[in-house]
Amino acid sequence: MMKDAFTQLGSVIASVMFVWAIFQQYFPYELRRSIEKYSQRLLSLVYPYMQIKFNEFTGERLMRSEAYSHIEDYLSSNTSMQAKRLKADIVRNSQSLALSMDDHEEVADEFEGVKLWWASGKNISKMQSLSFFPVTDEKRFYTLTFHKRHRDLILGQYLKHVIREGKAIKLTNRQRKLYTNSGSHWRNVLFEHPATFQTLAMDPEKKKEIIDDLVAFSKAENFYAEVGRAWKRGYLLYGPPGTGKSTMIAAMANLLGYDLYDLELTAVKDNTELRKLLIETTGKSIIVIEDIDCSVDLTAQRRNTKKKEDNEEKDPMQKLAKEETDSNNSKVTLSGLLNFVDGLWSACGGEKLIVFTTNHVEKLDPALIRKGRMDKHVEMPYCSFEAFKVLARNYLKIDSHHLFEKIHGLLEEINMTPADVAENLMPKSVHVNAETYLLSLIEALGEAKRANRMKAEEEAKEKESLGKGEEEKEKESSTTKETGTSKPVTNEATEDM
């Protein structure tokens, strides 16, 4: 019975193939197209599903489709557990192994209670080649299948959801970069700084305030669009050297997953190059200008311009020397930097933080650091007791010790930077004895206290000696005023002789 059934099935298939071959060869193309069109319409009445095809390349393989890339990232994260056959590869600039569906594999997905299916496909076609071996062209694609009654939901919300999630997954998995400028171009290396807010030596309340502000900024795209502002925010970090300004920037980048652009103003020729560098930056990035008061001569630039021009008119040689100096130095002006921070071009890319650091905030032009340009001013102070406890936890793995009270009192009297405190707590051997390093810190604080006392005594003595000198001068001047100046008495008789 089974043998007879297979024999009949083979005969039916052979008959169908014969009829199809005759149909293809002898029937006109227009008739065949009409029959296919009406057959598809007839099939659609009984087959209620729709399909959307997403090709890997667009424009005759000149460019990889962004939609295909985002769908690939989405499927690799959300549906790779369902697929029985996967492809694995280490993608460039990625931190981990990337998994994706193998060719001709199908997985299911669900969105708001609606079930749909994704399938990966590949078309292979032979191409003409001058070489002996034939060349094949592979065209990959994804096909989305869903019921036609959910057409509006899939074409609207679902596809937007897939693209948005794919972008987010790509940003999460990518290896972030640290850029620096060489003239008007950026060069980059991998950004691997380990700093986090958990290890940052800072008062916990102040730290939480900064974290909340950064997280709120990263989620405020719609808010910035509604109020008509570019999606960017300025941070001014100021304080003595060694208080952790650069570490704070690295922690900000690690918290938000942003790239870092370290802008060296002295390497920028003029305002035009500065604008070009800004255009080349991408979204989700932090643009940093460290020690901005030392980068170029921006301090009180407007106030000193007229004075320089007057001096040049009086001294032509000074004007010539200035022209020679300007040809070698950066010609970035304060106006150009202000336009860089919040001008029309500053909205390019979106989702950017602009961070300035300085050791002398009083030297900066008020127009540069006003609210709207530098929205949040963060003072990086000397090491407090709360910051010390973070460092002790980082370096010595302790949260309390009987020496903490003494260190607390010394830190209230002595100004010591977190960098100096960390150096005294840094383990110098494999076996860490916490008390040894705490005593080392106490000794360093004691030496700093004695040095401050000696300096204060020397200043007091110098002031006292200056005061005595001034008193003696006042006494001499008062004596001169009382006695007056007398001329030598001349003998008139002697003169007559």
Side-chain angles (χ1 to χ4, degrees):
M1 296 292 292
M2 186 66 68
K3 184 177 180 180
D4 293 340
F6 276 113
T7 303
Q8 292 177 3
L9 179 61
S11 299
V12 171
I13 293 174
S15 301
V16 171
M17 292 178 65
F18 176 75
V19 172
W20 178 252
I22 296 297
F23 176 78
Q24 291 278 56
Q25 185 171 0
Y26 294 103
F27 280 73
Y29 174 77
E30 291 78 7
L31 179 60
R32 282 186 281 130
R33 287 296 301 162
S34 298
I35 294 174
E36 289 178 3
K37 181 174 67 173
Y38 287 111
S39 63
Q40 288 177 1
R41 289 183 180 178
L42 181 62
L43 183 63
S44 65
L45 296 177
V46 295
Y47 185 75
Y49 292 96
M50 293 182 59
Q51 286 187 342
I52 304 176
K53 187 177 181 180
F54 300 89
N55 293 312
E56 182 178 9
F57 291 96
T58 59
E60 298 297 332
R61 296 183 63 87
L62 295 178
M63 185 180 296
R64 198 168 192 261
S65 170
E66 289 189 18
Y68 182 92
S69 299
H70 296 322
I71 292 170
E72 185 176 39
D73 293 327
Y74 172 81
L75 293 177
S76 66
S77 176
N78 293 277
T79 60
S80 60
M81 296 300 294
Q82 301 179 32
K84 296 179 180 179
R85 293 179 295 117
L86 297 170
K87 293 186 296 185
D89 192 12
I90 298 179
V91 183
R92 185 181 179 185
N93 298 331
S94 178
Q95 293 180 337
S96 58
L97 198 66
L99 298 175
S100 60
M101 292 193 308
D102 198 2
D103 298 329
H104 309 295
E105 184 71 9
E106 184 175 300
V107 294
D109 194 14
E110 188 172 338
F111 181 74
E112 294 188 1
V114 176
K115 194 169 184 179
L116 37 87
W117 297 266
W118 286 98
S120 61
K122 179 175 67 172
N123 292 328
I124 302 177
S125 59
K126 292 185 178 181
M127 300 175 61
Q128 294 182 355
S129 174
L130 298 176
S131 63
F132 178 78
F133 298 99
V135 177
T136 58
D137 181 28
E138 296 183 349
K139 296 182 179 179
R140 288 182 170 82
F141 58 87
Y142 285 113
T143 302
L144 173 61
T145 304
F146 56 93
H147 200 286
K148 60 184 180 183
R149 68 169 173 263
H150 303 303
R151 178 191 182 104
D152 294 338
L153 176 67
I154 301 302
L155 297 182
Q157 299 179 33
Y158 177 70
L159 288 180
K160 289 180 180 179
H161 163 75
V162 170
I163 299 299
R164 183 172 59 252
E165 290 295 316
K167 286 181 179 179
I169 292 167
K170 185 175 182 179
L171 288 171
T172 302
N173 293 337
R174 86 192 195 285
Q175 176 61 276
R176 288 174 297 115
K177 295 180 180 179
L178 171 63
Y179 293 83
T180 186
N181 58 302
S182 175
S184 59
H185 300 283
W186 294 106
R187 299 180 183 275
N188 67 79
V189 296
L190 296 181
F191 178 71
E192 299 176 330
H193 201 293
T196 63
F197 276 96
Q198 285 71 27
T199 60
L200 185 65
M202 179 181 283
D203 183 81
E205 293 184 1
K206 191 173 183 180
K207 190 187 299 185
K208 184 179 183 303
E209 177 188 343
I210 296 171
I211 292 174
D212 292 343
D213 185 78
L214 291 170
V215 172
F217 166 79
S218 66
K219 298 179 179 178
E221 180 180 8
N222 293 333
F223 171 78
Y224 277 84
E226 289 173 1
V227 299
R229 289 187 57 179
W231 192 12
K232 64 179 184 60
R233 188 162 178 79
Y235 268 74
L236 175 66
L237 309 182
Y238 64 96
T243 51
K245 295 184 286 294
S246 298
T247 306
M248 163 75 82
I249 295 170
M252 293 166 68
N254 286 327
L255 174 70
L256 299 176
Y258 286 4
D259 291 326
L260 269 175
Y261 289 84
D262 185 13
L263 179 61
E264 180 57 54
L265 282 180
T266 56
V268 183
K269 183 179 179 181
D270 51 29
N271 293 336
T272 303
E273 280 196 359
L274 183 64
R275 190 181 303 115
K276 184 178 179 181
L277 287 169
L278 175 63
I279 294 172
E280 291 180 356
T281 60
T282 60
K284 291 186 178 295
S285 60
I286 301 176
I287 303 174
V288 181
I289 303 180
E290 294 199 83
D291 298 321
I292 189 170
D293 56 302
C294 304
S295 296
V296 291
D297 186 16
L298 300 173
T299 306
Q301 199 176 65
R302 294 174 294 188
R303 187 172 60 249
N304 296 333
T305 301
K306 190 175 186 306
K307 183 178 179 181
K308 289 181 180 179
E309 291 176 353
D310 294 341
N311 293 337
E312 289 165 8
E313 290 178 1
K314 295 178 182 178
D315 189 353
M317 293 301 294
Q318 184 177 352
K319 182 178 180 180
L320 183 63
K322 179 182 179 298
E323 291 176 354
E324 184 177 354
T325 303
D326 289 346
S327 64
N328 298 325
N329 294 339
S330 171
K331 294 182 181 179
V332 174
T333 64
L334 178 61
S335 175
L337 187 59
L338 295 180
N339 289 328
F340 175 88
V341 175
D342 69 346
L344 294 175
W345 294 93
S346 65
C348 298
E351 195 172 359
K352 292 179 182 175
L353 292 175
I354 300 176
V355 181
F356 292 164
T357 70
T358 180
N359 298 332
H360 305 283
V361 66
E362 69 281 355
K363 292 184 178 180
L364 298 180
D365 194 297
L368 185 63
I369 60 175
R370 69 164 175 80
K371 296 298 177 67
R373 290 193 174 110
M374 293 294 104
D375 304 284
K376 192 168 185 64
H377 296 191
V378 179
E379 182 181 6
M380 306 295 290
Y382 288 104
C383 188
S384 64
F385 181 64
E386 293 297 329
F388 157 75
K389 288 196 293 185
V390 175
L391 293 173
R393 190 181 309 115
N394 293 342
Y395 290 94
L396 305 179
K397 310 302 179 186
I398 59 174
D399 292 316
S400 62
H401 196 275
H402 67 89
L403 293 175
F404 275 21
E405 186 176 354
K406 187 171 184 179
I407 293 173
H408 187 188
L410 289 170
L411 286 174
E412 289 184 346
E413 299 178 18
I414 305 300
N415 288 332
M416 181 173 282
T417 65
D420 290 333
V421 173
E423 180 58 30
N424 285 281
L425 298 180
M426 176 75 74
K428 308 299 190 297
S429 63
V430 177
H431 303 288
V432 178
N433 184 355
E435 186 165 342
T436 301
Y437 296 107
L438 293 177
L439 290 173
S440 174
L441 175 61
I442 292 173
E443 184 180 353
L445 288 168
E447 290 179 359
K449 185 177 181 179
R450 288 189 293 272
N452 289 345
R453 188 187 301 116
M454 292 177 61
K455 184 177 179 181
E457 291 175 357
E458 290 177 359
E459 289 177 354
K461 289 180 180 178
E462 185 178 354
K463 186 176 181 181
E464 186 179 353
S465 63
L466 289 174
K468 289 182 179 179
E470 290 178 359
E471 289 179 2
E472 292 178 357
K473 288 181 181 179
E474 289 179 0
K475 287 181 180 180
E476 290 179 0
S477 61
S478 61
T479 304
T480 304
K481 288 179 181 179
E482 290 176 0
T483 58
T485 55
S486 57
K487 294 183 179 180
V489 179
T490 57
N491 193 339
E492 294 180 356
T494 305
E495 289 179 356
D496 293 338
M497 290 176 64

